[in-house]
Amino acid sequence: MSIVQCVPNFSEGRNQEVIQKIVEGIQSVPGVRVLDYSSDKDHNRSVVTLVGSKEVIVEGVFAGIKVATELIDMTKHQGEHPRMGATDVVPFIPIKDVTMDECVELANKLGKKMGEELGIPVYLYEKAATQNHRTNLANIRKGEYEGLAKKMEDPKWYPDYGPKEFNRKSGATAVGARMPLVAFNVNLNTSDLTIAEKIAKNVRLSGGGLHSVKAMGVELKERGIVQVSMNMVDYKKTPLYRAVELIKIEAQRYGVSVVGSEIIGLVPMDALVESIEYYLGLEDFRKDQILENRLYQE
Amino acid sequence: MSIVQCVPNFSEGRNQEVIQKIVEGIQSVPGVRVLDYSSDKDHNRSVVTLVGSKEVIVEGVFAGIKVATELIDMTKHQGEHPRMGATDVVPFIPIKDVTMDECVELANKLGKKMGEELGIPVYLYEKAATQNHRTNLANIRKGEYEGLAKKMEDPKWYPDYGPKEFNRKSGATAVGARMPLVAFNVNLNTSDLTIAEKIAKNVRLSGGGLHSVKAMGVELKERGIVQVSMNMVDYKKTPLYRAVELIKIEAQRYGVSVVGSEIIGLVPMDALVESIEYYLGLEDFRKDQILENRLYQE
């Protein structure tokens, strides 16, 4: 059975009753599962993580979006996090037995449905983007809800789906497809933050380092050490082992060592398998050799 | 949901109809899944791999054993593989959210049921063994079916469950609990088999090497290389990384290198996670951080 993850962000982080109703809407769809949800009062925003097969995931997230469209009024919304809609952003993420192209299709299916049935302007972003200037979510959201009516007058910002007119109550939504993100931090045996910052720079793409790695230096004050804190935005392109091994090599220049690492939050099994194949030197390993994968195959 | 694996061995490897009926018997139990089965004509023996939760696995394998008891007549059985019963051996193997102690309980539950309902003498073995001399399956099976009537007269070989009398048609069955076995081979860049044999000896427990590792040297003639072929019989005690790293160290003595490895057949995800934690230096990693594990939790 395929697994697609979907992580809609809603512009409500204070009224628990509203958040609860959105989650219940999603959970009402058979085969869809809410793995996690969390709200931030300052951001006035909630993030829901749901999973389901490619057959049911759109229906699942749509049920939540429908509730959000009814209960959230953007004319009254305030919060620190940039936002442009009641349902602000909806990425589809391939986890198992599903391709990125199929996730792009799911984004299109949801966008069309939101436009037609809810009257919400939808912009496709990341892998689902139809135009280059819409790949980056920050570009789409620039100006936020308050600037949206004016922005939509420009043909460059006509939505991919839904009405070309500004929707006062719901704003607009970015719907897209992207790889799962793995939050991976590598600890160094020094308290010198500048070393972590230098290594982070060398490891990330923009500093002449690795593709699909975003990195910064962070201080772990309690432990008296520093870490290279990374977002691995495409573990298929750049697996975890490559980042940690490169950090080890860079660390030598500063006379420091890697003393540990951590994965924050969830990680798809595939992201670990890529690295175990490297370290054990596995030849011809097939993922269906993992007993659990055989088990849940349909 | 817990996952228990069970790998019953039946003394029929030629009559496909009988094997098919045994498998169908197992599959008739809801929640039980047959992952694989294979027969060997020379051995005249079939091995079935089924999985299910601890609530259903005993009922599942019992359904197959019942069919085997009806259709297999040990007075007519011939085959190269040592055997003592129509259902020869039944190990329960903990895979996920189940302890070894619980698998020992399952072995007892099945043994009691086979004794009472089918009149089959049952010997508990490995982790389920009630007496030291019964831990090793080979000891229990020594003398095979043909020697069983005589062997059972000795109080030392009174069964743990079922009648003390010899069952002519069905023989006796060994029921036990053990860790999953991982078949893990490490390749060396030499054609000299004696080097693989020497390293195998140094790596296995009996040669002063690692606990829970059985190893031998094997020639891969087509590739012109050799390998250390291992059975990792308890990956929790001795993880895969420790074996491959020790082989690398031993290989240095002979001026050869590890050039790859392979896992044959199925491997529980946990066995890989143990090694990835080591290589990436992961701190405080919880297995429920693997997205798939969250997904199938009940």
Side-chain angles (χ1 to χ4, degrees):
Chain A
M1 204 178 65
S2 63
I3 304 174
V4 182
Q5 190 180 16
C6 186
V7 188
N9 288 221
F10 299 101
S11 291
E12 176 59 69
R14 292 166 191 168
N15 187 334
Q16 279 302 316
E17 206 179 317
V18 170
I19 299 158
Q20 197 57 43
K21 279 185 179 157
I22 291 171
V23 169
E24 283 166 10
I26 295 170
Q27 281 170 331
S28 72
V29 176
V32 170
R33 193 148 184 174
V34 172
L35 289 187
D36 189 49
Y37 65 98
S38 63
S39 304
D40 187 294
K41 283 190 177 143
D42 295 329
H43 290 177
N44 197 8
R45 183 181 184 87
S46 295
V47 179
V48 181
T49 302
L50 60 140
V51 289
S53 70
K54 55 195 180 195
E55 286 78 19
V56 302
I57 193 79
V58 168
E59 201 189 330
V61 70
F62 184 80
I65 292 169
K66 205 172 163 196
V67 175
T69 306
E70 285 158 20
L71 301 184
I72 300 175
D73 183 351
M74 285 306 287
T75 63
K76 293 169 186 159
H77 185 270
Q78 289 195 314
E80 280 170 30
H81 196 287
R83 80 287 178 265
M84 63 176 186
T87 301
D88 194 51
V89 52
V90 186
F92 289 94
I93 302 157
I95 300 294
K96 184 162 169 278
D97 296 339
V98 61
T99 65
M100 184 57 81
D101 284 350
E102 287 173 310
C103 285
V104 168
E105 279 175 38
L106 295 173
N108 276 275
K109 195 173 155 195
L110 176 69
K112 190 162 185 283
K113 199 170 162 72
M114 288 176 68
E116 289 177 358
E117 298 181 28
L118 303 176
I120 298 172
V122 168
Y123 296 95
L124 297 173
Y125 80 105
E126 284 274 352
K127 305 285 184 192
T130 55
Q131 301 172 50
N132 271 343
H133 66 280
R134 297 182 183 190
T135 300
N136 191 334
L137 176 63
N139 281 345
I140 297 174
R141 204 156 51 189
K142 200 176 171 187
E144 300 196 37
Y145 169 79
E146 288 73 12
L148 193 58
K150 179 110 183 81
K151 186 171 183 173
M152 286 180 72
E153 290 171 9
D154 182 351
K156 201 179 141 193
W157 291 108
Y158 284 174
D160 290 293
Y161 291 107
K164 287 203 183 69
E165 293 76 40
F166 176 58
N167 179 325
R168 243 174 83 81
K169 187 182 174 199
S170 301
T173 304
V175 176
R178 62 163 172 83
M179 278 295 284
L181 183 151
V182 180
F184 182 44
N185 302 330
V186 175
N187 299 334
L188 304 171
N189 64 347
T190 173
S191 59
D192 186 347
L193 181 59
T194 64
I195 292 178
E197 283 169 343
K198 280 177 197 159
I199 294 176
K201 184 168 174 290
N202 295 346
V203 167
R204 68 188 174 226
L205 181 63
S206 56
L210 298 168
H211 197 285
S212 305
V213 175
K214 296 178 179 180
M216 62 178 185
V218 168
E219 211 174 341
L220 302 185
K221 284 207 178 113
E222 261 183 43
R223 293 177 63 182
I225 60 173
V226 298
Q227 72 179 189
V228 180
S229 177
M230 292 179 287
N231 273 337
M232 308 290 296
V233 301
D234 187 345
Y235 66 80
K236 288 211 173 153
K237 198 150 229 149
T238 309
L240 273 57
Y241 78 82
R242 200 171 297 150
V244 72
E245 293 301 322
L246 184 59
I247 289 172
K248 285 180 189 170
I249 286 166
E250 294 289 332
Q252 289 172 11
R253 294 174 61 179
Y254 307 102
V256 304
S257 307
V258 167
V259 291
S261 72
E262 54 181 358
I263 290 173
I264 307 293
L266 294 179
V267 58
M269 185 164 43
D270 273 7
L272 300 180
V273 172
E274 297 276 340
S275 288
I276 200 69
E277 287 180 319
Y278 169 78
Y279 285 116
L280 293 180
L282 288 177
E283 300 173 359
D284 303 324
F285 186 70
R286 289 169 295 103
K287 276 158 194 161
D288 71 352
Q289 288 183 257
I290 299 175
L291 199 142
E292 284 83 349
N293 280 345
R294 287 281 269 275
L295 212 54
Y296 303 116
Q297 262 172 6
E298 291 308 306
Chain B
M1 201 178 64
S2 62
I3 304 173
V4 181
Q5 190 180 13
C6 185
V7 190
N9 289 220
F10 299 101
S11 291
E12 175 59 70
R14 293 167 190 167
N15 186 335
Q16 280 301 316
E17 207 180 314
V18 169
I19 300 159
Q20 198 56 46
K21 280 185 179 157
I22 292 171
V23 169
E24 283 167 9
I26 295 170
Q27 282 170 332
S28 72
V29 175
V32 170
R33 193 150 183 173
V34 172
L35 289 189
D36 189 48
Y37 65 99
S38 63
S39 305
D40 187 294
K41 282 188 180 145
D42 296 329
H43 289 180
N44 196 10
R45 185 182 182 87
S46 295
V47 178
V48 182
T49 302
L50 60 140
V51 289
S53 70
K54 55 194 179 195
E55 286 78 19
V56 302
I57 192 79
V58 167
E59 202 190 332
V61 70
F62 184 80
I65 292 169
K66 206 173 161 194
V67 175
T69 307
E70 285 158 19
L71 302 183
I72 299 175
D73 184 352
M74 285 305 287
T75 63
K76 293 171 188 158
H77 185 271
Q78 288 192 313
E80 281 170 30
H81 196 286
R83 79 286 179 267
M84 61 175 188
T87 301
D88 194 51
V89 51
V90 186
F92 289 94
I93 302 156
I95 300 295
K96 185 162 168 276
D97 295 339
V98 60
T99 64
M100 183 56 81
D101 284 349
E102 287 173 310
C103 284
V104 169
E105 278 175 39
L106 295 173
N108 276 276
K109 194 173 155 193
L110 177 68
K112 189 160 185 284
K113 200 170 161 71
M114 287 177 69
E116 289 177 358
E117 298 181 28
L118 303 177
I120 297 172
V122 168
Y123 296 96
L124 297 172
Y125 79 106
E126 283 275 350
K127 304 283 185 195
T130 54
Q131 300 171 50
N132 271 341
H133 66 281
R134 298 183 181 188
T135 301
N136 190 332
L137 177 62
N139 281 344
I140 297 174
R141 207 158 47 191
K142 200 176 172 188
E144 298 196 39
Y145 170 76
E146 287 74 10
L148 193 58
K150 179 110 184 81
K151 186 172 182 172
M152 286 180 72
E153 289 171 9
D154 183 352
K156 203 179 141 192
W157 291 108
Y158 284 173
D160 289 296
Y161 289 107
K164 288 201 182 69
E165 293 76 40
F166 176 58
N167 179 325
R168 246 175 80 81
K169 187 182 176 198
S170 300
T173 304
V175 175
R178 63 164 173 82
M179 279 295 284
L181 184 151
V182 180
F184 182 45
N185 302 330
V186 175
N187 299 334
L188 304 171
N189 64 346
T190 174
S191 59
D192 187 345
L193 181 60
T194 63
I195 292 177
E197 284 169 344
K198 280 178 197 159
I199 294 175
K201 183 168 176 290
N202 295 347
V203 167
R204 67 188 175 228
L205 181 63
S206 56
L210 298 168
H211 197 286
S212 305
V213 175
K214 295 176 180 182
M216 62 179 183
V218 167
E219 212 174 342
L220 302 184
K221 284 208 176 111
E222 261 185 41
R223 293 178 63 182
I225 60 172
V226 298
Q227 73 180 186
V228 180
S229 177
M230 292 179 287
N231 273 338
M232 308 291 294
V233 301
D234 187 344
Y235 66 79
K236 289 212 171 150
K237 196 150 230 150
T238 309
L240 273 59
Y241 77 81
R242 201 171 296 149
V244 71
E245 292 302 322
L246 184 57
I247 290 171
K248 284 181 190 168
I249 287 166
E250 294 289 332
Q252 289 172 11
R253 294 174 60 179
Y254 308 103
V256 303
S257 305
V258 167
V259 291
S261 71
E262 54 181 359
I263 290 172
I264 307 293
L266 295 178
V267 56
M269 183 164 43
D270 273 7
L272 300 180
V273 171
E274 296 276 341
S275 288
I276 199 69
E277 287 180 317
Y278 170 79
Y279 285 115
L280 293 180
L282 288 177
E283 301 172 1
D284 303 323
F285 186 69
R286 289 169 295 102
K287 277 158 193 161
D288 72 351
Q289 288 183 256
I290 299 175
L291 199 142
E292 284 84 349
N293 279 345
R294 285 282 269 274
L295 212 54
Y296 303 117
Q297 263 172 5
E298 291 306 307

